[in-house]
Amino acid sequence: DVQLVESGGGSVQTGGSLRLSCAASGMGYGVYCLGWFRQAPGKERKAVASIYRGGGSTYYAPFVKDRFTISLDNPKNTVYLQLNSLKPEDTATYYCGAGFVLPGTCVGGSFLPAWWGDGTQVTVS
């Protein structure tokens, strides 16, 4: 079974930083897509960033570009999201998602995961 376990959320002040981690298991060592999404209370879940485990191509939503960085530790099957220059509007539950999709879908802004983690809360005040 595929499992995604997020960690690293917390509460920070405006301008602060956090590093989220998502450990993926059950997907093997092939090529697939890993992504981060976020959902604020009362709002729809939105894509934040994604990375293709097969070449390292990435996608960033316009609202986080140059502030957040997605990276992948292949041997550990762990994807990270470095959040810098955090703003109150970044407050949300952040979810990790994974799926076997083509590279273009992974980094084209339309990635819809087949599997989801339970989420980790990020609060910026």
Side-chain angles (χ1 to χ4, degrees):
D1 291 347
V2 174
Q3 287 191 326
L4 303 172
V5 180
E6 303 103 331
S7 61
S11 297
V12 296
Q13 293 186 336
T14 299
S17 298
L18 286 172
R19 188 192 193 205
L20 308 183
S21 300
C22 172
S25 61
M27 296 195 70
Y29 291 89
V31 293
Y32 52 86
C33 186
L34 288 164
W36 287 96
F37 297 72
R38 72 185 189 186
Q39 187 169 20
K43 297 188 177 181
E44 63 179 13
R45 191 171 298 187
K46 293 184 177 180
V48 175
S50 56
I51 187 166
Y52 190 66
R53 189 183 189 279
S57 299
T58 59
Y59 161 83
Y60 292 96
F63 55 84
V64 301
K65 196 170 178 64
D66 297 330
R67 297 191 298 125
F68 295 180
T69 303
I70 190 170
S71 61
L72 180 62
D73 185 328
N74 278 313
K76 294 183 179 180
N77 273 355
T78 299
V79 62
Y80 302 96
L81 187 67
Q82 178 68 41
L83 291 69
N84 296 327
S85 302
L86 283 162
K87 307 174 182 179
E89 51 264 43
D90 294 318
T91 295
T93 300
Y94 284 70
Y95 296 91
C96 176
F100 293 101
V101 298
L102 295 174
T105 299
C106 180
V107 299
S110 61
F111 173 48
L112 186 61
W115 296 278
W116 292 95
D118 291 334
T120 185
Q121 178 67 35
V122 171
T123 303
V124 186
S125 60

